[in-house]
Amino acid sequence: MPLPNSGAHPVTEIDSAPPYQRWAIKLEYDGTGLVGWQRQNDGLSVQALLEEAATRLANGRPVKSITAGRTDSGVHATGQVAHLDFPADMTLVPHRVRDGLSYYLKPHAVAVLQAARVAPDWSARFSASWRSYRYRILNRPTRPALAASQLWHIRGTLDVDLMQEGARHLLGLHDFTSFRAVACQANSPIRTLDVLTVERHGEEVWIIAKARSFLHHQVRNMVGTLSLVGQKRWTPDRIAEALAARNRSAAGPTAPPDGLYLTGVGYDPDPFA
């Protein structure tokens, strides 16, 4: 007995093209007053603002996003990267995506710096080869009258050379249990820290970190611990002891989110080149 409809219609090839076009975007934002990157039940998030702007650009059709790194509440970015899946039938060019999203993101302190069409399987998160952060400390006796929510104010003079000596203990492959949040959900505390430098720029001290990936609060916990070394409350060698303890209570405090910036995400090839 023949199968139902057997031979009734010619066999056609299934169109394998995805029903979307994927775009990589680079953003900057001031995290003050935001609940962080990830959409939350309460409060404004960068993700919610971006997806709302993208949906408006797509004439009301929902557009979802994936980011390279989920920044916490109050954390800023100068080089965050995300990807967006727009409907396949839209006619888009880089400047239209960049300018259209930035227009719909107003009046919030979030802007799109660059946009680039990428392959359907490209991922802002999984295609990334490194992430970099900068932490800003205002190191002077007087509190800031300007940009107070964009840095951490420490009154006493920080010894940058001692902080750099302590930072060297954290470079390379380690178990960073002592420097991750207790509630961190990463499967493993093992990470490779490629760069950790401490620099003085006038009244500011910058701590720059670079790695393929970071644990939750890892940068802020390293900064808080290094601040103890800079204030000569800890010796540089005590950083190594805290690392070896593999216990969060062995390290220093968590630095506030205000001074932390996600400054870049690396890809090979770079879609924005």
Side-chain angles (χ1 to χ4, degrees):
M1 179 177 179
L3 294 173
N5 298 322
S6 175
H9 301 285
V11 176
T12 58
E13 291 186 3
I14 297 174
D15 185 1
S16 60
Y20 61 86
Q21 52 181 300
R22 181 159 292 181
W23 283 80
I25 59 167
K26 184 180 293 185
L27 308 101
E28 68 176 18
Y29 50 83
D30 182 338
T32 307
L34 299 177
V35 296
W37 170 270
Q38 191 170 9
R39 186 186 292 272
Q40 306 288 335
N41 293 330
D42 297 310
L44 283 176
S45 68
V46 182
Q47 182 181 27
L49 293 172
L50 177 63
E51 290 180 356
E52 180 181 344
T55 296
R56 294 178 70 182
L57 187 61
N59 296 317
R61 289 182 284 181
V63 177
K64 299 299 182 182
S65 68
I66 296 292
T67 186
R70 297 176 181 176
T71 51
D72 289 333
S73 174
V75 174
H76 319 290
T78 60
Q80 174 70 285
V81 176
H83 74 246
L84 296 163
D85 290 338
F86 286 100
D89 60 357
M90 290 184 68
T91 302
L92 295 172
V93 292
H95 75 269
R96 183 188 174 197
V97 175
R98 179 197 65 201
D99 296 343
L101 290 173
S102 292
Y103 175 80
Y104 289 124
L105 282 164
K106 295 191 296 186
H108 304 286
V110 183
V112 175
L113 304 175
Q114 291 179 272
R117 181 80 179 262
V118 291
D121 61 349
W122 187 91
S123 170
R125 179 183 177 189
F126 296 111
S127 299
S129 57
W130 54 261
R131 284 116 174 130
S132 62
Y133 287 87
R134 180 176 68 244
Y135 197 98
R136 294 174 59 198
I137 299 173
L138 179 65
N139 189 212
R140 71 182 190 193
T142 307
R143 65 175 178 82
L146 303 173
S149 64
Q150 297 178 350
L151 38 76
W152 182 20
H153 177 219
I154 297 180
R155 295 177 182 276
T157 302
L158 294 171
D159 189 319
V160 171
D161 292 334
L162 287 178
M163 293 172 72
Q164 184 63 72
E165 186 179 341
R168 292 191 185 100
H169 292 294
L170 299 174
L171 290 172
L173 177 68
H174 298 290
D175 181 326
F176 282 96
T177 296
S178 297
F179 294 90
R180 72 166 174 172
V182 174
C184 179
Q185 297 179 355
N187 292 329
S188 170
I190 306 297
R191 291 292 185 274
T192 299
L193 187 60
D194 299 311
V195 174
L196 188 62
T197 60
V198 185
E199 307 169 356
R200 181 171 287 281
H201 296 266
E203 294 182 329
E204 290 192 18
V205 172
W206 293 1
I207 299 174
I208 298 167
K210 180 180 177 182
R212 182 176 183 85
S213 63
F214 290 89
L215 300 163
H216 191 203
H217 286 177
Q218 182 181 346
V219 176
R220 289 168 58 192
N221 290 337
M222 293 190 300
V223 169
T225 305
L226 288 171
S227 74
L228 299 179
V229 176
Q231 297 171 77
K232 300 182 179 179
R233 295 164 58 187
W234 276 31
T235 64
D237 288 343
R238 191 168 168 184
I239 297 283
E241 295 172 8
L243 181 67
R246 300 181 184 179
N247 188 316
R248 177 67 192 95
S249 63
T254 304
D258 311 60
L260 185 59
Y261 296 73
L262 173 59
T263 55
V265 185
Y267 299 93
D268 186 19
D270 182 358
F272 306 108

